[in-house]
Amino acid sequence: VGYIDFDSEIIGVLENVDRQTATDPLVRTDVIYLDPKRRGLEDAKDSVQIDPANSKRLLVSFQASSPGDYIRVLTGTSKPLPAQVLVPARSDIWIAGLPFGATNELGSQVPIASPVEVLTIPVRTGSYLTFNADGRVTLPSEMGGDVVGPSGSETQPLARLSNGRRTLSGCTAPAGALMAVFLGHSEPTEGLTPDSLDFSKEILRDASNLMPRLKQVFSIGDGLDLKGGRLRVYVPVEATRLFLGVMGSTNQAGYSGFYSVEVMSQPNALLTARRENSHQIELCWEPVRGGTIQIESTEDPVLGPWTPVGPLMVGDGETRCLTLDKVPEVRLFYRLSIRY
């Protein structure tokens, strides 16, 4: 018997196994249940109640043996504190997730030159991240010794190539720029290599939203788009880890300085269902500068596959809603895919 205080208002509680199973694909809590079929409150004496005097407090009374009682609590949006991360200039993003002692073709070695993993905020599909970066990095003497900020050198774009079919992608970005990559639980040597992004192209430099794939290296810069708005980076499916590093094309032992990076996690509100009935659903989205957008659907939001639905559209065009016919007796999940 006791209570649990949450940092936002409690919307509701799922007490039985059927409702918990139905919402498993949405929450992706990473909880390992001893017996998923025996979740919920089994005993008539078990009870949960939102405190009438405090909507952030849940009153509980459980009587259970093995595997125990399980409930799922739905709350309003929390306001998490930002993660504060220091990223040394020597941090080579292309050795992210590799084992101790591993060395790449430039001589960067784990852990001496490893990128920094963001550990203090959750990295989960269904959210987006924003960044606020500051600090200075000095490029090596062979690159002129310029002092640059998180956006990198305005005159020295660098291109790093991928090392093979089962590794991180390549990327083109300004020398010294703040870089990042999402990984899953496994080493980045598993799965095929995604396409390389080129941040020397205007379409990416002007983007206000990024949807990188797993293992696809991308540039964060100072965390702002060209119009001064906050860049949104959407967490890809199966991502559980985020690494931050600095763009270099030589052994980064010759780089000095660091960036101070603030990382915030927010719920994904880019795509919403405005109206829905038994036959149709209307999906609407916020304007997306840079690139085109494609609605995709799947029956399994974790494993996919995701199938294109409807036409390819201009991200900030006049069309911002799409009405789709429902498939009888099939539950579909939808997402918005941005293409550059």
Side-chain angles (χ1 to χ4, degrees):
V1 177
Y3 64 87
I4 305 147
D5 284 339
F6 292 84
D7 61 0
S8 57
E9 290 192 356
I10 302 169
I11 296 172
V13 184
L14 309 183
E15 302 178 19
N16 62 54
V17 64
D18 291 338
R19 291 186 176 182
Q20 293 183 45
T21 301
T23 54
D24 279 343
L26 300 176
V27 294
R28 295 194 66 220
T29 60
D30 297 328
V31 173
I32 299 174
Y33 297 102
L34 297 179
D35 187 348
K37 296 180 180 179
R38 295 179 61 191
R39 291 181 293 178
L41 302 182
E42 300 88 1
D43 196 291
K45 297 180 181 179
D46 296 334
S47 68
V48 293
Q49 179 187 7
I50 301 172
D51 189 339
N54 182 357
S55 61
K56 297 182 180 180
R57 174 170 292 183
L58 186 69
L59 309 177
V60 300
S61 178
F62 293 166
Q63 188 172 12
S65 55
S66 180
D69 286 324
Y70 293 91
I71 58 174
R72 176 164 291 153
V73 183
L74 308 180
T75 72
T77 303
S78 299
K79 294 181 179 179
L81 294 174
Q84 298 283 353
V85 184
L86 289 181
V87 183
R90 67 175 183 272
S91 304
D92 190 338
I93 197 68
W94 276 273
I95 56 174
L98 294 180
F100 184 89
T103 304
N104 67 7
E105 78 285 358
L106 298 182
S108 298
Q109 187 178 46
V110 178
I112 299 171
S114 289
V116 179
E117 183 177 358
V118 179
L119 297 172
T120 52
I121 62 169
V123 177
R124 288 179 179 158
T125 302
S127 64
Y128 68 85
L129 305 178
T130 59
F131 301 85
N132 183 22
D134 197 5
R136 293 292 182 266
V137 161
T138 303
L139 302 181
S141 56
E142 59 266 28
M143 298 181 68
D146 294 343
V147 178
V148 300
S151 296
S153 170
E154 296 181 358
T155 59
Q156 297 190 71
L158 300 179
R160 289 279 293 266
L161 301 177
S162 173
N163 292 331
R165 295 181 65 249
R166 297 186 182 277
T167 184
L168 300 184
S169 75
C171 189
T172 298
L178 178 65
M179 307 296 289
V181 69
F182 289 105
L183 298 181
H185 290 296
S186 59
E187 289 186 14
T189 52
E190 298 181 12
L192 297 179
T193 301
D195 296 334
S196 297
L197 297 176
D198 186 350
F199 286 85
S200 67
K201 296 181 177 179
E202 184 177 357
I203 195 170
L204 275 176
R205 294 201 309 271
D206 190 41
S208 56
N209 300 275
L210 287 178
M211 287 188 171
R213 298 180 180 179
L214 204 67
K215 303 198 305 178
Q216 190 172 45
V217 178
F218 60 95
S219 176
I220 295 171
D222 59 5
L224 301 175
D225 60 26
L226 292 183
K227 296 184 178 181
R230 189 66 59 187
L231 177 68
R232 293 182 177 186
V233 179
Y234 288 83
V235 179
V237 172
E238 297 184 356
T240 58
R241 297 182 289 168
L242 172 67
F243 292 85
L244 304 179
V246 174
M247 184 69 184
S249 62
T250 60
N251 187 313
Q252 291 180 215
Y255 291 60
S256 61
F258 63 88
Y259 293 135
S260 175
V261 187
E262 182 181 273
V263 188
M264 284 287 291
S265 176
Q266 303 289 345
N268 182 350
L270 191 61
L271 181 67
T272 58
R274 190 167 69 176
R275 284 194 295 268
E276 183 177 2
N277 56 42
S278 58
H279 303 291
Q280 289 182 319
I281 182 171
E282 184 179 34
L283 303 174
C284 300
W285 53 90
E286 297 177 11
V288 176
R289 285 203 320 274
T292 55
I293 59 173
Q294 174 73 65
I295 303 294
E296 298 176 338
S297 68
T298 185
E299 293 185 47
D300 188 331
V302 178
L303 300 177
W306 290 88
T307 304
V309 179
L312 198 63
M313 294 165 284
V314 178
D316 54 359
E318 293 182 0
T319 301
R320 303 246 178 90
C321 289
L322 185 66
T323 300
L324 302 174
D325 293 329
K326 285 188 174 181
V327 181
E329 299 182 359
V330 176
R331 182 176 62 174
L332 292 176
F333 298 86
Y334 297 92
R335 73 178 184 185
L336 192 66
S337 175
I338 303 176
R339 304 183 181 185
Y340 303 102

